[in-house]
Structures are given as structure tokens and as C-alpha cells.
Amino acid sequence: MSDLLERLRGRGWRMTAQRRVVAEVLDGDHVHLTADEVHARAVERLPEISRATVYNTLGEMVTLGEVMEVATDGRAKRYDPNAHRPHQHLVCGRCGAIRDVHPAGNPLADLPDTERFGFTISDVEVTYRGICPNCATTA
Amino acid sequence: MSDLLERLRGRGWRMTAQRRVVAEVLDGDHVHLTADEVHARAVERLPEISRATVYNTLGEMVTLGEVMEVATDGRAKRYDPNAHRPHQHLVCGRCGAIRDVHPAGNPLADLPDTERFGFTISDVEVTYRGICPNCATTA
DNA sequence: ATCCTACGATAGACATTGTCTAAGTCAAGT
DNA sequence: ACTTGACTTAGACAATGTCTATCGTAGGAT
């Protein structure tokens, strides 16, 4: 259990019941929920929480740099609470399962100057795609 | 100018005015249009073409493996006609400009077995993010 | 050359995901 | 305990994508 909530408190973030519930729901490892999934789970604990608040709160956590936004499938964005530990993602093309992975090496170093077109590069995002063991057997 | 249209013909794809126009509009290098952008340009040449046909046609070209789908921003998917030449993307975080890039090395080799969780990996997608020279000066 | 027929195209309703607004509510400092 | 500005809410709206029923047509058959 990482301590997303503690990190947010430590930054002087104004705390409300809604924000606390969103942070609690999102916390953990290999967690990659969509905004609507976060909302569904938040509603179980705080029935009157609104969709807009969940979207706002997630957006703020991303702006604060405490949560990563991941777009692995061109559908809904997913939210990853492990923003402080750099990692990449491994996605199952059949069931959509996502695992956090830590590749060796630095992909940034692999891009020669001649291929940078004058850009100032700040970040690299790597998505590995394949089939998970569970889907492979249930072919 | 790559020859998307020729490749599609060569595969025995049933040709219609609509499909030809979509293929023509999408052809070229560093082309990464959204479905609606493709539709807008197609309408200039064939005013009665419908949105649904553009979506269908793009989807079929992706299934045929002649066009790549790229989701760089969590908004609309973009379509890249250079599916036959493996490459990655470099995206400007301010204006959204996209360049095709060819990194050295093979990112797949960078993922140790212990980080594969039993997945059979078939593909790696790398997105470099930064600021393009144009946006850097117009700061 | 014309006809058939299955496949493709169409309009528009619908679905999903995300954003915005105006008004009400509340956390935290005084 | 007040006050205030930030937070939350419901619901309208917007953007993107999918589906269905119907119509049209490419390309083979005659």
C-alpha cells in the first residue's frame, strides 16, 4: 500500500470527504482504474459523490504530479497512483489487464539527435502489448 | 508518397469511390489525422461521403494491417499510413504536432523475463513527449 | 451489355467519455 | 462561531465513436 493520501496531505492539499475517498480508492499497486470505475467505487463509500468531482479530483492529482494518466487503449483514460516511481506498462490485448513493469536501460538515450527534429524531449512512455497467461490458456 | 492505395488494391480489396478517397487523403509521410479530419478532407473531394463510412474504412485498413492506430493524447485516435515501416512517435505537448521517429535498439530486449508476468509480448509502442522548436520559441 | 446479389454506404439515433456552468456547501483560518 | 473562497453538485453540453435499418453499387454471372 503506497500512501497517496499521506502524500497529498503533506502538500497542504485541502482535504474533503470526496477527495479522501478518491485517494483511498485509487491507492495500491498495479491499480489502473478509469474515471468511471473510480466513481463507482467511490459511490460505495460516499453515495452522494458526483461524477464531476471525481473528474476534477483526478485531474488535480495529475496536475500535482501524484497520479499518472495512462491512455493504453484509446478508450477511457486510466489513473495510476504510482507517479513517484517511474515505470512503464504491459497490456493484454484481449482482456485489457495492465501490469506495471520496469524495463532496463533508458529509451531516451536510444533516440539519436538526428531523430529529434529540434524537440526538447522531457518524457518517454513505453507500452508493451501482448497476451496475458490467463487469456493464452482460455484461447 | 507511399502507395497505400496500391497496397490495398493488391490485397483484392473491393474498391469504391469512398474507400479510394479515404486512402488518398491518408497517404503520405508524417500523416497522423483523426477520423474527423480524414472525414473533413474526404468531403472536399466527395461531398456525400458519410462519417460512418470513414470510421468503417479506417477500421478495415487497421484490421488489414495497412494503417496504424495511434492514441497519443487520450483524445481522438489518429491514423498513420506507415504501418509497414516500424517506427515510434514524438509528440509536442503544447501544439500536438507528431513526428515519426526511428529509435536505435530494441525496447523489447530491455524487458527482463522477471518483468513479463508470463505475457507473450508481441509489440512495443514508444511515445516521446516534449516541446517542438516552434512552440519553444513562441513561449 | 445487362442483370443479380452480396457487400458497401448512408443518415441518424444511440453510447461512452469528458467538460462546463450556476448555484449550493463546507474546510479552515480569524 | 463566523466568513470566505475553495469545493461539490446536478445536469446540460460537447466530442468521439458505434450501431441499425435501408438504400446503392461493384463486379461477377448470364
Side-chain angles (χ1 to χ4, degrees), chain B residues 32-112:
Chain B
H32 309 90
L33 300 171
T34 65
D36 269 352
E37 285 165 355
V38 170
H39 181 241
R41 299 189 187 199
V43 161
E44 292 172 8
R45 305 194 193 191
L46 189 65
E48 45 293 318
I49 194 172
S50 76
R51 242 163 42 89
T53 295
V54 172
Y55 275 95
N56 289 340
T57 303
L58 290 171
E60 284 156 24
M61 297 193 305
V62 169
T63 299
L64 286 172
E66 296 293 348
V67 165
M68 273 177 58
E69 211 170 58
V70 229
T72 53
D73 62 351
R75 308 283 304 232
K77 291 177 202 159
R78 294 180 174 275
Y79 294 88
D80 182 331
N82 266 326
H84 53 349
R85 193 163 313 168
H87 63 276
Q88 308 300 341
H89 293 105
L90 169 54
V91 182
C92 175
R94 191 159 316 171
C95 69
I98 305 177
R99 307 293 302 191
D100 292 350
V101 294
H102 303 81
N106 175 13
L108 230 172
D110 287 344
L111 195 63

Side-chain angles (χ1 to χ4, degrees), chain A residues 70-139:
Chain A
V70 231
T72 54
D73 61 352
R75 309 280 306 230
K77 290 178 203 157
R78 293 180 173 276
Y79 295 89
D80 182 330
N82 266 325
H84 52 347
R85 192 163 314 167
H87 63 277
Q88 308 300 341
H89 293 104
L90 169 54
V91 182
C92 175
R94 192 160 314 173
C95 69
I98 304 177
R99 309 292 303 193
D100 292 349
V101 294
H102 302 81
N106 175 13
L108 230 172
D110 287 344
L111 195 65
D113 277 348
T114 56
E115 287 283 306
R116 298 195 179 201
F117 298 95
F119 279 55
T120 306
I121 302 180
S122 53
D123 192 34
V124 189
E125 201 177 287
V126 182
T127 305
Y128 295 88
R129 297 186 184 281
I131 302 295
C132 74
N134 194 27
C135 285
T137 57
T138 355

Side-chain angles (χ1 to χ4, degrees), chain A residues 14 16 18-19 48-53 56-57 75:
Chain A
R14 180 167 162 180
T16 68
Q18 293 83 349
R19 289 175 168 193
E48 45 292 318
I49 194 172
S50 76
R51 242 165 42 90
T53 295
N56 289 341
T57 303
R75 309 280 306 230

